[in-house]
Amino acid sequence: MWWMAIGWAMTVPQCTAADAALPPPLAGWARQGEGLDTRHAFTLPTRNGAAETRVTIRKAGIFGIATDQPGWVDVTRSTGRRLRMVSRDPARPCAKIEKIVYYRLAPGIYRVSIGRLQAARVKLMLVRGERMRGFARSGRVG
C-alpha cells in the first residue's frame, strides 16, 4: 500500500504562487462574470454531461475555449457545422484549467458545446490567441 501513496503523491502537482500565475490572455480566469468573454470566466450548469452557450465575436482572430475539466469542446456557426480546431494547449493544473482548444473565428455568433462532462457545473473562458499556433510547421524542415 505504501507504493500507492508514493505514486499518488508524484501525480499531484505541488503548486506555488508562481505556478498559478497566468499569462495576460488568461488573467481573467480568476474573475467570475456573465457569459463567455475574454475578460472573465463564467460557470455554466451541465445537463446529462453537456453544456451549451453562445458567444459573439466582434473581430476575427484565433480564440480559445478554456475549461476546468475534461470534455469535448465543439464550436459551430449558424450552419450547424462544427469548426475545425486550430490547436490545443495542455492543462494548467495549478490554475485549475484542464485544457484550451483554439479555433479561427470570423465576426459573428457561435454556439459553444461542451460534452462528456463529469461535474454538475463547468467553468469556461474565451481566450484571445496571441499568435497562430497549429499542428503544421510554417516553413521547411531539414
Side-chain angles (χ1 to χ4, degrees):
M1 287 297 227
W2 60 270
W3 52 271
M4 288 177 58
I6 291 172
W8 188 76
M10 290 174 37
T11 62
V12 176
Q14 302 300 318
C15 299
T16 65
D19 294 331
L22 294 170
L26 294 170
W29 182 254
R31 290 189 297 274
Q32 204 51 26
E34 289 296 319
L36 198 53
D37 195 273
T38 56
R39 295 176 300 241
H40 57 76
F42 90 112
T43 305
L44 191 62
T46 63
R47 184 175 175 146
N48 297 325
E52 186 175 293
T53 188
R54 294 190 186 281
V55 63
T56 300
I57 301 298
R58 292 177 190 85
K59 186 177 178 183
I62 304 295
F63 291 89
I65 309 297
T67 67
D68 69 340
Q69 59 183 291
W72 192 265
V73 179
D74 283 320
V75 176
T76 58
R77 258 200 117 148
S78 58
T79 60
R81 191 170 168 193
R82 284 182 274 165
L83 299 179
R84 184 176 176 194
M85 173 180 64
V86 173
S87 67
R88 179 180 173 202
D89 272 352
R92 298 172 191 249
C94 293
K96 295 184 174 53
I97 296 175
E98 183 62 32
K99 70 178 178 180
I100 307 171
V101 182
Y102 289 90
Y103 297 89
R104 182 185 315 275
L105 302 178
I109 298 172
Y110 295 85
R111 182 178 66 202
V112 178
S113 305
I114 304 94
R116 300 181 188 170
L117 299 170
Q118 301 299 316
R121 302 181 71 72
V122 61
K123 183 177 179 180
L124 304 171
M125 183 176 158
L126 184 67
V127 179
R128 180 99 170 134
E130 295 175 351
R131 59 185 167 80
M132 178 59 194
R133 294 187 311 264
F135 298 114
R137 295 179 192 248
S138 60
R140 292 184 58 136
V141 176

